[in-house]
């Protein structure tokens, strides 16, 4: 009987036992790699679930507070620009942007669970009214600079309160 194996000669190995050990090592290496891949996939899945949980339940309000701060900063910039003599389409565009931001701010505050009677909601209402007065005075060419200064002070106060609320929510989430 011929004990030579054709595949043994192909690899240049003298003994079939070495070939079996080589195949065993390859199979074990693949098994370890598959196990590591499975563990990595499981870890990634659990991480995604944890991030969604934090985002949906605990950090979602912090994101909304940050959005409210950004809208307030944008409104303040629009009010400051209203003091400058702008006419026509630019003035209408600024008023429209201010009104849109104010509506979004009101919706954000309500989505955060603040009732209209809450001090933060009332403060937002006052700031929004002051901004509208600045735009009205700018169109009538009145004392918009004084009104804009009062608006800036109120806006900064409200942004500070929102920042405190956001930080409290983040601290509570941790």
């Amino acid at each position: 009987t011929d004990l030579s194996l054709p595949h043994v000669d192909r690899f240049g190995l003298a003994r079939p036992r070495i070939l079996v050990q080589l195949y065993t090592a390859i199979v074990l290496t693949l098994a370890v790699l598959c196990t590591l891949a499975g563990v990595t996939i499981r870890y990634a899945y659990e991480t995604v679930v944890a991030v969604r949980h934090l985002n949906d339940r605990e950090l979602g309000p912090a994101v909304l507070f940050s959005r409210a701060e950004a809208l307030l900063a944008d409104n303040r910039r629009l009010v400051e620009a209203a003091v400058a003599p702008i006419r026509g389409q630019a003035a209408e565009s600024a008023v429209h942007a201010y009104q849109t931001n104010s509506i979004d701010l009101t919706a954000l505050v309500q989505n955060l669970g603040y009732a209209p009677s809450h001090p933060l909601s009332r403060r937002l209402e006052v700031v929004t009214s002051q901004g509208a007065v600045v735009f009205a005075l700018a169109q009538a060419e009145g004392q918009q600079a004084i009104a804009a200064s009062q608006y800036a002070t109120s806006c900064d106060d409200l942004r500070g309160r929102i920042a405190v609320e956001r930080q409290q929510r983040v601290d509570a989430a941790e």
Side-chain angles (χ1 to χ4, degrees):
T1 61
D2 185 16
L3 293 176
S4 67
L5 299 171
H7 61 277
V8 173
D9 293 333
R10 184 175 37 178
F11 292 112
L13 298 173
R15 298 185 182 165
R17 207 167 133 200
I18 294 174
L19 186 61
V20 170
Q21 289 174 350
L22 179 64
Y23 282 143
T24 303
I26 291 171
V27 168
L28 289 175
T29 302
L30 288 175
V32 168
L33 288 176
C34 288
T35 302
L36 288 174
V39 168
T40 302
I41 290 170
R42 175 72 182 189
Y43 178 75
Y45 171 76
E46 289 176 1
T47 302
V48 167
V49 168
V51 167
R52 283 186 184 155
H53 175 72
L54 283 174
N55 196 22
D56 292 344
R57 303 243 169 134
E58 295 159 357
L59 293 180
V63 172
L64 292 178
F65 277 118
S66 294
R67 174 75 177 134
E69 289 179 78
L71 287 171
L72 279 169
D74 192 36
N75 271 1
R76 180 167 182 190
R77 181 189 55 78
L78 290 168
V79 168
E80 288 173 355
V83 176
I86 54 175
R87 299 271 183 246
Q89 187 67 23
E92 290 176 19
S93 176
V95 170
H96 179 70
Y98 179 82
Q99 290 171 341
T100 302
N101 287 351
S102 297
I103 290 169
D104 290 347
L105 274 166
T106 302
L108 277 174
V109 169
Q110 288 175 352
N111 287 341
L112 287 165
Y114 294 102
S117 60
H118 190 275
L120 193 68
S121 297
R122 289 189 306 217
R123 189 72 184 146
L124 175 62
E125 190 176 320
V126 167
V127 169
T128 302
S129 310
Q130 286 177 330
V133 167
V134 172
F135 282 106
L137 290 174
Q139 290 175 352
E141 304 219 9
Q143 299 179 351
Q144 68 267 28
I146 295 170
S149 173
Q150 292 172 344
Y151 173 82
T153 303
S154 295
C155 186
D156 288 343
D157 178 60
L158 180 59
R159 282 180 62 199
R161 291 179 190 203
I162 287 176
V164 167
E165 291 283 333
R166 176 180 42 81
Q167 190 60 46
Q168 287 174 351
R169 296 276 180 109
V170 168
D171 291 344
E174 294 174 345

